[in-house]
């Protein structure tokens, strides 16, 4: 009995650690961690953009996975703002997870660009 419970708990822990972060295709909105100074394709810089997403934790155990906060910060906030700025991509994307006992944070930033216009 103990062995069965251990196997079930271990299975949930292993399966629960998998998270896939999805971004739009490059034809829709270009997202890369490549530094904007090294970005080879011609582009017009539109400005730096940054967002912060706050999660919730109980005694340091996050109720929302950090990857989900990063995905939400990029897909729902940064990409919307880049489109509002007239851009079609973000280069130099950086993120930082700041754990907390009750309110963990994810900080995400990057350079908004419009591709193909030249520098």
């Amino acid at each position: 009995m103990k062995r069965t419970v251990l196997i079930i708990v271990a299975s949930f822990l292993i399966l629960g650690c998998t998270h896939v972060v999805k971004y739009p295709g490059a034809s829709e909105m270009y997202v890369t961690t490549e530094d904007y100074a090294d970005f080879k394709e011609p582009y017009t810089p539109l400005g730096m953009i940054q967002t912060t997403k706050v999660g919730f934790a109980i005694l340091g155990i996050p109720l929302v996975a950090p990857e989900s906060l990063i995905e939400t910060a990029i897909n729902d906030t940064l990409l919307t703002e880049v489109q509002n700025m007239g851009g079609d991509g973000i280069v130099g994307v950086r993120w930082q997870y700041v754990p907390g006992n009750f309110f963990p944070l994810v900080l995400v930033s990057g350079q908004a660009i419009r591709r193909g216009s030249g520098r």
Side-chain angles (χ1 to χ4, degrees), residues 67-95:
E67 295 85 1
S68 294
L69 290 175
I70 293 169
E71 183 176 18
T72 301
I74 291 174
N75 286 335
D76 295 348
T77 306
L78 283 185
L79 295 182
T80 301
E81 287 304 315
V82 168
Q83 287 174 335
N84 290 341
M85 295 169 72
D88 62 359
I90 308 173
V91 296
V93 174
R94 303 285 184 263
W95 57 79

Side-chain angles (χ1 to χ4, degrees), residues 14-86:
I14 291 170
L15 294 174
C17 293
T18 304
H19 185 86
V20 176
V21 178
K22 296 182 180 179
Y23 304 107
S27 62
E28 298 173 42
M29 182 69 70
Y30 193 81
V31 179
T32 182
T33 58
E34 184 178 14
D35 190 18
Y36 61 89
D38 298 328
F39 190 60
K40 304 294 186 246
E41 190 176 325
Y43 69 91
T44 300
L46 301 175
M48 293 299 292
I49 189 165
Q50 177 179 328
T51 188
T52 303
K53 287 291 180 184
V54 179
F56 187 72
I58 296 178
L59 299 176
I61 300 169
L63 298 180
V64 176
E67 295 85 1
S68 294
L69 290 175
I70 293 169
E71 183 176 18
T72 301
I74 291 174
N75 286 335
D76 295 348
T77 306
L78 283 185
L79 295 182
T80 301
E81 287 304 315
V82 168
Q83 287 174 335
N84 290 341
M85 295 169 72

